[in-house]
Amino acid sequence: MSQIFPKSANAAVRSSLFAVLTLVLFLGWVGFTLMRSSWLTKQSEYVEQPIQFSHAHHVGGIGLDCRYCHTSVEKSSFAGIPPTKTCINCHSQIWATAPILEPVRASFRDDTPMKWKRVTDLPDFVYFNHQIHVKQGVGCATCHGPVDKMPLITQATSMQMEWCLACHREPEKFLRPRAEVFNMAYEAPANQIELGLRLKKEYNVAGIEHMTSCSVCHR
Amino acid sequence: MGRWTAALGVLLLTAAGCRQDMHDAPRYDPLEASDLFTNGSSVRPLVPGTVPRGQLNDDAFLHTGKGPDGLPVTAFPFAITHVELDRGQDRYNVYCAPCHGRTGEGNGMVVQRGYRQAQSMHIDRLKLAPVGYFYDVITNGFGVMPDYRTQIPVEDRWKIVAYVRALQLSRTATTADMPADALARLLKGEPAAKAPVEIHR
């Protein structure tokens, strides 16, 4: 009986095994990279808004504090988006007839809210709370990036679970004094870990078991 | 062939199960839009006359800054200590400084960009004005100045008023007005007041 496979088929089998392994690893790598890509996390993506509101002009330029507009950020889970009245405080006089601000004036006149689109949006099965982070010394810039330099706001971080956990495991790498939370120009000192550990004790920040337990964020 | 079709069918069925329902649960997040109402908002305005529990606001002194005679009150509705002053300073810098400037001169950034300039807080008329007057201006606005009743809670408004008083006093204060320890620090060339390390909340 003649052999069905020539001897060289052995090499083909071996190399095809190798090819399958490489393919699996490659697909794994593609998936892994895709999961973290800004295409899926929407990191650094602009969102079309009804009017081009610039944090760079209002925060970086005229030096407004976040709380002038995001009034509930210190006392509620939701940071709050300012009502049209807050814009009109100033724009009743500044650029009061500029065409670019017509949507704001129309919204105020007709008592219809501005339709801002969300930039950062966690899935609904995740619980997030601003108050606790602000109170325990996590700066806005740590999560939202240099907002004072953004002409249009984008999501500065991946906002994925592994990103939340990286800080919940070692908050000392990021904590700053409470008085600096809203300061966009704050720079971490050289002895950040030392400062972080001291603040962690002073502010009574919860331990790692609590901070990484699933039910803290999935409740 | 039939086996492959079946396998493909099972795969498709499984994929159809991958829905994102939990990502966007059927509930309204704060400020989420809704097409149920004509103005596109999911929250409804309160029916006129609604009083939330515990918010009857029947303390006229605290909430209007006016006495029974309708005139602005001359005293604060609660004790003012360093804690209240620090908070007042913090809030003044957030909500008033953009127009009135950090020192109350009236030359804030927004004014420099074309907003009408207010009188300096340091003119005699305002130094003599009762505290209830300032509270009323914050609550109801004054001339072209907008009201701040929705942005600043009642207690914080009073603390801001206390800080404005402190600003006014600071202009004419002499070393004789200083506590001994602060004076000693000043003479040594150090800042007289310890910088507030902590903003009280």
Side-chain angles (χ1 to χ4, degrees):
Chain A
M1 188 177 118
S2 67
Q3 283 186 325
I4 302 176
F5 294 109
K7 201 158 189 175
S8 61
N10 282 346
V13 166
R14 275 199 209 97
S15 59
S16 68
L17 272 179
F18 182 73
V20 165
L21 197 71
T22 320
L23 188 72
V24 166
L25 284 178
F26 176 73
L27 284 180
W29 174 82
V30 167
F32 196 80
T33 321
L34 203 63
M35 285 294 289
R36 284 163 182 72
S37 68
S38 54
W39 182 63
L40 273 183
T41 62
K42 305 264 194 296
Q43 188 173 340
S44 311
E45 242 176 56
Y46 293 106
V47 177
E48 193 73 36
Q49 299 286 8
I51 168 175
Q52 300 214 337
F53 174 79
S54 163
H55 280 79
H57 280 156
H58 290 86
V59 180
I62 45 180
L64 288 182
D65 190 286
C66 314
R67 290 164 288 180
Y68 187 93
C69 292
H70 303 297
T71 48
S72 62
V73 72
E74 292 167 296
K75 44 186 193 276
S76 123
S77 61
F78 184 62
I81 295 292
T84 310
K85 154 81 169 59
T86 304
C87 314
I88 294 296
N89 279 354
C90 295
H91 288 294
S92 59
Q93 287 188 43
I94 287 181
W95 293 34
T97 52
I100 182 181
L101 280 160
E102 182 50 32
V104 177
R105 290 192 297 270
S107 154
F108 193 64
R109 254 196 329 266
D110 311 341
D111 198 20
T112 22
M114 298 281 295
K115 289 195 175 131
W116 302 110
K117 300 224 178 56
R118 295 218 54 141
V119 180
T120 36
D121 195 4
L122 294 178
D124 283 0
F125 54 77
V126 183
Y127 173 77
F128 179 78
N129 190 316
H130 275 95
Q131 180 183 25
I132 183 93
H133 290 96
V134 171
K135 186 166 153 284
Q136 301 292 50
V138 186
C140 312
T142 307
C143 299
H144 292 300
V147 169
D148 60 328
K149 300 199 177 59
M150 296 183 187
L152 287 178
I153 212 153
T154 59
Q155 184 181 309
T157 46
S158 79
M159 298 269 167
Q160 283 184 317
M161 178 164 144
E162 74 176 354
W163 170 78
C164 308
L165 285 174
C167 176
H168 276 210
R169 287 200 194 96
E170 296 171 300
E172 60 272 16
K173 284 190 179 161
F174 304 96
L175 296 187
R176 47 171 92 178
R178 264 174 206 157
E180 303 288 351
V181 163
F182 301 92
N183 181 358
M184 285 287 129
Y186 178 81
E187 274 175 37
N191 63 344
Q192 170 62 38
I193 301 293
E194 197 184 309
L195 172 78
L197 287 172
R198 205 190 73 222
L199 292 176
K200 206 171 146 186
K201 209 140 140 222
E202 205 175 305
Y203 298 163
N204 226 336
V205 173
I208 185 162
E209 304 79 31
H210 177 77
M211 295 274 278
T212 53
S213 80
C214 315
S215 59
V216 162
C217 305
H218 305 292
R219 31 182 103 186
Chain B
M1 209 48 212
R3 209 184 298 160
W4 287 109
T5 324
L8 193 69
V10 168
L11 255 177
L12 277 177
L13 275 178
T14 322
C18 294
R19 289 172 30 190
Q20 301 278 301
D21 287 355
M22 300 292 280
H23 281 252
D24 195 6
R27 61 157 201 240
Y28 288 119
D29 289 335
L31 302 187
E32 193 170 325
S34 157
D35 43 22
L36 200 58
F37 299 102
T38 44
N39 74 348
S41 161
S42 62
V43 281
R44 299 284 82 211
L46 294 179
V47 176
T50 311
V51 179
R53 265 183 90 97
Q55 295 181 31
L56 183 54
N57 301 355
D58 55 350
D59 185 346
F61 189 168
L62 178 68
H63 288 279
T64 65
K66 294 202 173 101
D69 51 3
L71 291 177
V73 295
T74 52
F76 287 94
F78 47 81
I80 300 293
T81 68
H82 244 294
V83 178
E84 279 78 24
L85 265 184
D86 282 352
R87 171 83 181 177
Q89 175 176 30
D90 187 49
R91 297 295 120 163
Y92 176 90
N93 287 340
V94 171
Y95 296 106
C96 316
C99 295
H100 289 277
R102 293 231 162 187
T103 56
E105 296 277 13
N107 56 350
M109 262 320 250
V110 179
V111 171
Q112 293 173 32
R113 299 292 165 93
Y115 206 86
R116 175 178 173 151
Q117 179 159 8
Q119 298 269 326
S120 161
M121 296 283 181
H122 305 288
I123 59 171
D124 286 339
R125 177 173 62 81
L126 286 177
K127 279 208 263 194
L128 295 173
V131 290
Y133 175 71
F134 293 91
Y135 178 85
D136 183 60
V137 171
I138 304 177
T139 310
N140 298 313
F142 173 87
V144 299
M145 173 178 148
D147 70 79
Y148 278 85
R149 69 169 80 211
T150 50
Q151 274 160 281
I152 313 176
V154 170
E155 271 82 9
D156 282 350
R157 288 178 221 160
W158 284 108
K159 292 171 192 169
I160 290 175
V161 175
Y163 180 67
V164 170
R165 270 280 117 94
L167 272 182
Q168 292 174 330
L169 284 175
S170 71
R171 279 301 163 89
T172 48
T174 63
T175 47
D177 299 324
M178 294 180 75
D181 56 335
L183 185 58
R185 273 198 298 275
L186 190 70
L187 291 178
K188 268 194 280 171
E190 293 164 13
K194 276 177 269 162
V197 251
E198 199 79 333
I199 304 297
H200 305 274
R201 297 185 193 285

